[in-house]
Amino acid sequence: MGTGGAPWRGTVLGLALLTGALTAGATGCGGSGTQSGTTGAPEVTRTAPGTRSSPPATPPEDLCARLVAHWSRKVLSGDTYGDYQSMGLSNRQYEILLDVVDAARAEKRREGAQAAGELIDRTARERCEERYRNGNPTERPWS
């Protein structure tokens, strides 16, 4: 162990950077936010050039349908081991996936792979819309 001495330099540097960032934010540096002067001028909102607002959030039924359809194709082709948590699915979404895959297997035997893919898309959409028809499920966090 050495006598030290260097750790305080990191602390001082960190505090200096924090102070600079706070000062820059307080003076309106960065090009966004609101600014009003003491001259009674109206409040002006500025936005940095080239910035965009965030895209709207994906509705839960759309996210569910996309995830279930994606993983249904993987399960149908044998390209996954079937752990619903690693797929990013809830327990209930996984139940939908299992039903969709069962129906797709039967459709694939009868009508071929293209028909099975169409059935996956259609059934995943229908089941997920039904699942989220009244908003997000609230009975259990894992459903």
Side-chain angles (χ1 to χ4, degrees):
M1 276 209 204
T3 57
W8 67 269
R9 288 184 188 143
T11 303
V12 170
L13 178 60
L15 288 173
L17 290 173
L18 179 60
T19 302
L22 290 174
T23 303
T27 60
C29 184
S32 64
T34 61
Q35 175 180 336
S36 62
T38 57
T39 63
E43 191 170 287
V44 176
T45 302
R46 298 181 303 158
T47 326
T51 59
R52 296 185 221 171
S53 61
S54 298
T58 303
E61 62 273 12
D62 290 348
L63 184 59
C64 172
R66 287 173 33 197
L67 285 169
V68 169
H70 170 80
W71 288 110
S72 292
R73 284 183 172 78
K74 294 272 192 187
V75 170
L76 186 62
S77 69
D79 194 23
T80 186
Y81 61 93
D83 180 289
Y84 74 95
Q85 291 173 329
S86 68
M87 295 176 189
L89 301 174
S90 70
N91 184 45
R92 183 62 183 122
Q93 290 168 337
Y94 187 66
E95 290 174 10
I96 293 171
L97 176 137
L98 294 176
D99 292 343
V100 168
V101 170
D102 285 344
R105 280 190 182 121
E107 185 71 7
K108 186 175 180 181
R109 281 191 298 273
R110 285 190 307 268
E111 302 293 330
Q114 183 175 348
E118 291 169 2
L119 181 132
I120 285 172
D121 290 335
R122 185 176 59 252
T123 308
R125 165 66 50 198
E126 290 169 358
R127 295 288 304 274
C128 288
E129 284 178 353
E130 176 184 319
R131 175 73 177 135
Y132 291 95
R133 180 169 289 127
N134 297 320
N136 288 330
T138 59
E139 64 272 6
R140 293 183 309 271
W142 57 86
S143 51

